[in-house]
Amino acid sequence: MLCEKCGKYPATTHYKQVINGQESEMHLCSRCAGEEGVYGFEMPDLFSAVFGTPIAENVKICPTCKTSFDEIIKSGRVGCGDCYKYFEKELMQSIFGMHGHTKHIGATPKITEDIKKTDNAENNQDNAKITNLKKDLEKAIKEERYEDAAKIRDKIRDVETQE
Amino acid sequence: MQKYWYDNENRIAVSSRIRLARNLDKTAFPNKLNKEDTAAICKKTGDVLTAREYSFGKLHYIDMDEFSQNVPSLFERHIISPEFANNYHGKGLLLSDDESISIMLCEEDHIRIQSISPGDDLQSAYKKAKEVDDVLCNNIRVAFSDELGFLTACPSNLGTGLRASVMLHLPLSESQGRIPALSAELSKIGLTIRGTYGEGSKGFGSFYQVSNQITLGITEENAIKNLNGIVKQIIISEENLRKEAYKPVLEDKIFRALGTLKYARRVNSAEMIKLLSLIKLGTDMGIIKNKSKNSIYSLIINTQPNTLMLNAKNNYTPGERDILRGDILREKLKEVE
């Protein structure tokens, strides 16, 4: 059998895909299979159907990772752990749809002394960062550099929301 | 001397696998990270996990960019996922000497712990994965909420982040047309079955993977117990079909497969898997004897296109590969009668 795409070389890669009972098959040579993505074809946005369709009002953006709800719908993936808190209302229904549950009952990680130590160290680092930024902010306002001041204010907010 | 999980022949249940998905707290998930952050996370988790000795030995850090030649073979040996094989730049992999534990760093989640045990043995696979997970969670704060459990990039992994799967060799169940009905039954109880080689409902070589789908609202132990119970039933049903099968037809198929591979000069991968699957069925049923040191399944692993080239330390065209594969199989099957 020759490759379905280029028709030049023998088909060495055979794919069968079944979506909602609809079968599709492809037979490609190794070169064309490589061009199509060596190990498989891109799956369509299966999760879009689960999460709902993108609408214009979905402009909410997760403050931690800057992912919009539209992006989540399109990729089927959230941007960070905080997305689950921030988009809780929007995501809960589909989470229930996937698992039939909304409450975790499995293992819980222990918060060990080692973790507390690193947490404290990181907090101290952040506090030092904020103190420095606040100094910069005061200076910028004094010198009437308002554009810089706005930028510094955003930076402070970023560090604070990361905590 | 057994080094890898596939060195011993395991009838019907070929291997058991556990995968745990974990992420660092307060950190964007890998698809949102730039190069520097990805490198930093690989280093941070790599340092923590390579720093100690486990029951299975040490974990070694592999810089994927330096290892790029081996990537397709790692995929063929089930060490990395297809997604990771397609997008490995700037990422890291942790691997144990016997390749039974592999940890992909910054795949879809920051940390994907994968543990594999030969045969039908999810418990021991879980024990090893848990060992690594404990070290991780005791040293690094992971993304976790009391409500949703371990937080993962895809909501389908929320909760335990645990995917358990058993690879089953089901030639008789397949030839009797039992797979679609089994698949429908499994989906009702939150389990799924798919072909190991090739996608879709019917796999190459009758190798199938049965795994859990639901990870939220179920404990790790129950998820494993449920899967175990079902797997045992599938195994019993395959055993019964093997006992009831009309021997002359089955024996004819098996000996034809053996005859072909003992003399063929060119064998492509699809034919290799199909025929070795029949030969495995023959040895498992005692119809033919394997007096060599290699398991039949190890031949499937080692004659996949990229693993074949890696072992031969050379690049070949598909045509040349088929000739080499024919040579290797003729040699390895000399002691199978």
Side-chain angles (χ1 to χ4, degrees):
Chain A
M1 184 192 294
L2 285 178
C3 172
E4 282 179 4
K5 206 175 160 204
C6 64
K8 281 186 209 156
Y9 304 101
T12 54
T13 305
H14 307 276
Y15 277 98
K16 194 180 219 174
Q17 189 169 274
V18 183
I19 296 173
N20 270 341
Q22 286 235 315
E23 282 188 19
S24 58
E25 265 184 79
M26 278 199 111
H27 307 277
L28 302 172
C29 68
S30 56
R31 199 198 273 165
C32 291
E35 281 169 15
E36 293 279 350
V38 189
Y39 306 107
F41 302 102
E42 284 295 308
M43 288 291 275
D45 298 342
L46 283 184
F47 286 103
S48 333
V50 183
F51 289 134
T53 22
I55 44 169
E57 293 101 81
N58 285 336
V59 286
K60 262 174 89 177
I61 282 177
C62 169
T64 308
C65 66
K66 316 275 182 267
T67 302
S68 69
F69 190 61
D70 265 1
E71 277 177 72
I72 297 180
I73 291 175
K74 278 186 194 135
S75 64
R77 308 280 184 274
V78 302
C80 72
D82 287 349
C83 287
Y84 287 111
K85 234 188 284 166
Y86 195 69
F87 298 114
E88 192 186 352
K89 249 193 1 222
E90 291 89 338
L91 288 172
M92 240 352 143
Q93 208 185 346
S94 42
I95 291 173
F96 181 77
M98 279 173 191
H99 298 281
H101 299 273
T102 52
K103 175 85 180 104
H104 175 61
I105 56 168
T108 304
K110 278 188 297 207
I111 307 299
T112 59
E113 288 305 314
D114 284 343
I115 288 183
K116 278 186 198 154
K117 258 187 237 162
T118 33
D119 276 0
N120 282 339
E122 275 166 20
N123 275 344
N124 287 342
Q125 265 180 13
D126 283 347
N127 286 341
K129 234 189 246 171
I130 291 176
T131 321
N132 282 336
L133 283 170
K134 280 191 174 157
K135 271 185 203 156
D136 291 349
L137 181 65
E138 268 174 42
K139 204 175 157 209
I141 293 173
K142 235 184 214 166
E143 292 169 9
E144 297 185 3
R145 289 185 285 118
Y146 296 116
E147 238 174 72
D148 290 346
K151 273 182 205 156
I152 297 168
R153 188 200 56 209
D154 288 347
K155 265 189 204 162
I156 294 176
R157 207 176 282 163
D158 277 353
V159 177
E160 278 173 347
T161 49
Q162 268 171 28
E163 271 171 23
Chain B
M1 188 192 74
Q2 189 200 345
K3 190 176 177 208
Y4 301 116
W5 62 267
Y6 45 81
D7 285 345
N8 278 358
E9 201 75 72
N10 296 290
R11 49 181 289 143
I12 305 186
V14 178
S15 65
S16 302
R17 230 169 263 272
I18 294 284
R19 186 223 64 200
L20 296 171
R22 300 289 183 254
N23 285 286
L24 306 190
D25 195 30
K26 302 281 172 213
T27 311
F29 292 156
N31 60 341
K32 285 282 182 176
L33 291 176
N34 61 26
K35 225 170 123 187
E36 289 73 35
D37 292 337
T38 304
I41 288 168
C42 290
K43 186 174 178 335
K44 184 177 173 180
T45 44
D47 285 351
V48 166
L49 294 177
T50 50
R52 68 187 65 215
E53 186 91 25
Y54 301 87
S55 66
F56 50 84
K58 272 195 153 295
L59 284 169
H60 307 285
Y61 187 90
I62 293 166
D63 181 330
M64 290 300 285
D65 285 315
E66 287 172 17
F67 213 59
S68 57
Q69 258 207 315
N70 294 8
V71 167
S73 170
L74 288 174
F75 162 69
E76 286 172 355
R77 284 179 284 154
H78 312 286
I79 292 168
I80 60 173
S81 64
E83 294 76 26
F84 201 66
N86 271 334
N87 184 10
Y88 63 83
H89 291 295
K91 298 179 180 177
L93 175 75
L94 298 167
L95 196 58
S96 68
D97 280 323
D98 62 358
E99 296 183 356
S100 72
I101 297 277
S102 59
I103 301 163
M104 290 178 279
L105 300 175
C106 292
E107 194 232 30
E108 181 180 295
D109 294 299
H110 293 138
I111 301 131
R112 283 262 173 125
I113 302 170
Q114 190 187 241
S115 164
I116 183 161
S117 286
D120 171 19
D121 192 4
L122 283 169
Q123 283 304 340
S124 87
Y126 179 58
K127 222 173 120 192
K128 284 191 283 182
K130 183 94 177 59
E131 209 184 317
V132 180
D133 187 37
D134 285 344
V135 172
L136 176 77
C137 293
N138 288 342
N139 286 283
I140 296 177
R141 193 186 271 268
V142 294
F144 180 86
S145 92
D146 288 335
E147 285 301 309
L148 295 175
F150 290 96
L151 304 177
T152 50
C154 182
S156 63
N157 295 317
L158 282 171
T160 57
L162 177 144
R163 187 83 66 220
S165 69
V166 179
M167 196 205 301
L168 297 168
H169 183 223
L170 304 173
L172 270 289
S173 308
E174 184 186 274
S175 65
Q176 307 263 330
R178 301 281 180 95
I179 304 294
L182 178 63
S183 173
E185 281 304 309
L186 291 178
S187 71
K188 281 185 205 153
I189 48 173
L191 302 177
T192 175
I193 184 166
R194 61 185 172 81
T196 305
Y197 297 101
E199 281 296 314
S201 54
K202 193 171 184 285
F204 285 143
S206 320
F207 290 98
Y208 291 89
Q209 210 106 296
V210 181
S211 58
N212 66 317
Q213 288 285 81
I214 290 164
T215 52
L216 185 62
I218 186 165
T219 62
E220 287 81 354
E221 288 72 22
N222 279 342
I224 291 172
K225 215 171 89 189
N226 289 351
L227 184 62
N228 249 333
I230 297 296
V231 162
K232 294 253 172 353
Q233 283 184 31
I234 301 174
I235 293 175
I236 291 172
S237 142
E238 170 74 20
E239 291 276 17
N240 287 339
L241 290 174
R242 288 183 185 192
K243 273 183 218 143
E244 292 158 10
Y246 182 56
K247 288 285 168 338
V249 172
L250 199 60
E251 284 176 4
D252 180 60
K253 267 193 190 169
I254 289 167
F255 279 109
R256 277 170 186 273
L258 183 60
T260 304
L261 290 187
K262 266 179 177 275
Y263 293 97
R265 260 48 190 172
R266 287 170 63 229
V267 183
N268 67 28
S269 341
E271 187 183 21
M272 173 274 287
I273 294 177
K274 195 178 133 205
L275 298 183
L276 283 179
S277 166
L278 283 166
I279 294 173
K280 177 169 166 53
L281 177 65
T283 54
D284 288 348
M285 289 180 70
I287 293 170
I288 46 181
K289 281 211 163 50
N290 179 5
K291 291 176 195 150
S292 77
K293 280 174 274 169
N294 312 292
S295 72
I296 302 299
Y297 191 74
S298 76
L299 296 181
I300 295 182
I301 296 258
N302 285 316
T303 56
Q304 297 269 331
N306 293 288
T307 308
L308 189 83
M309 291 195 287
L310 193 71
N311 290 342
K313 296 186 175 60
N314 215 336
N315 272 327
Y316 295 105
T317 63
E320 289 168 339
R321 263 191 329 246
D322 293 350
I323 293 172
L324 178 64
R325 187 177 291 116
D327 292 346
I328 292 173
L329 289 171
R330 280 203 312 279
E331 179 61 36
K332 297 276 186 196
L333 291 173
K334 264 188 186 154
E335 289 175 78
V336 179
E337 278 154 8

